[in-house]
Amino acid sequence: MLLVALLCHLLCQHAPGQAERARDYMPWHKKTSPAHMEGMTANNTITTMSDALATDRPTLTVKEVASLLGVDVRTVYRAIDEDQLPSLQVGTKRLIPRLKLMALLGADVA
C-alpha cells in the first residue's frame, strides 16, 4: 500500500489530471474516520465524569481517561499493562470501554 501511495504522490506531481482519476479508483486514499469517532471534534473530548456519563460513545481514549482520572497518560498505559484497566487494542491505538470504566469507578450508569 505504501508503494501505491508513493506512486499516487508521484503522479500528483507530474500529471495532476491523471492523478485525480487514479484517486477515484483508490478508496483507501480518501480520508475516513473510525465509526466510534464520527461526529467527534476537539471540543467533544471527555474530561469530566459528567461528560463520561452523558456520552453515548462506547469507548474512551487513553488521553481522555487520563484527563478524567487526573493522571498522566503513562499511568493509564501502566494500569492497562498491569490489567488494572480493561482496554481494546485497535491497530496501535488503545481504547477503554466506557461502561466497564464507569463500573470500575463505581459510577451509576443509567
Side-chain angles (χ1 to χ4, degrees):
M1 180 143 51
L2 181 62
L3 181 60
V4 173
L6 180 61
L7 181 60
C8 182
H9 177 72
L10 291 173
L11 286 173
C12 290
Q13 289 180 343
H14 297 295
Q18 291 177 358
E20 289 171 7
R21 285 193 300 272
R23 282 190 189 138
D24 294 338
Y25 297 104
M26 294 185 273
W28 61 85
H29 194 292
K30 297 175 183 167
K31 293 195 177 216
T32 58
S33 62
H36 78 279
M37 304 273 299
E38 281 194 22
M40 188 174 163
T41 64
N43 297 334
N44 197 14
T45 57
I46 308 297
T47 56
T48 65
M49 187 63 82
S50 60
D51 290 344
L53 290 170
T55 188
D56 61 345
R57 289 181 22 217
T59 60
L60 302 174
T61 65
V62 170
K63 187 175 180 181
E64 289 172 330
V65 171
S67 177
L68 183 67
L69 299 176
V71 298
D72 191 76
V73 292
R74 291 173 292 190
T75 304
V76 175
Y77 280 116
R78 191 177 315 116
I80 290 169
D81 291 340
E82 294 173 357
D83 292 327
Q84 295 174 349
L85 264 179
S87 71
L88 306 167
Q89 178 121 11
V90 181
T92 59
K93 191 169 185 123
R94 291 282 189 132
L95 299 172
I96 291 88
R98 183 182 64 86
L99 293 178
K100 287 185 179 181
L101 177 66
M102 294 297 106
L104 186 66
L105 296 175
D108 186 28
V109 181

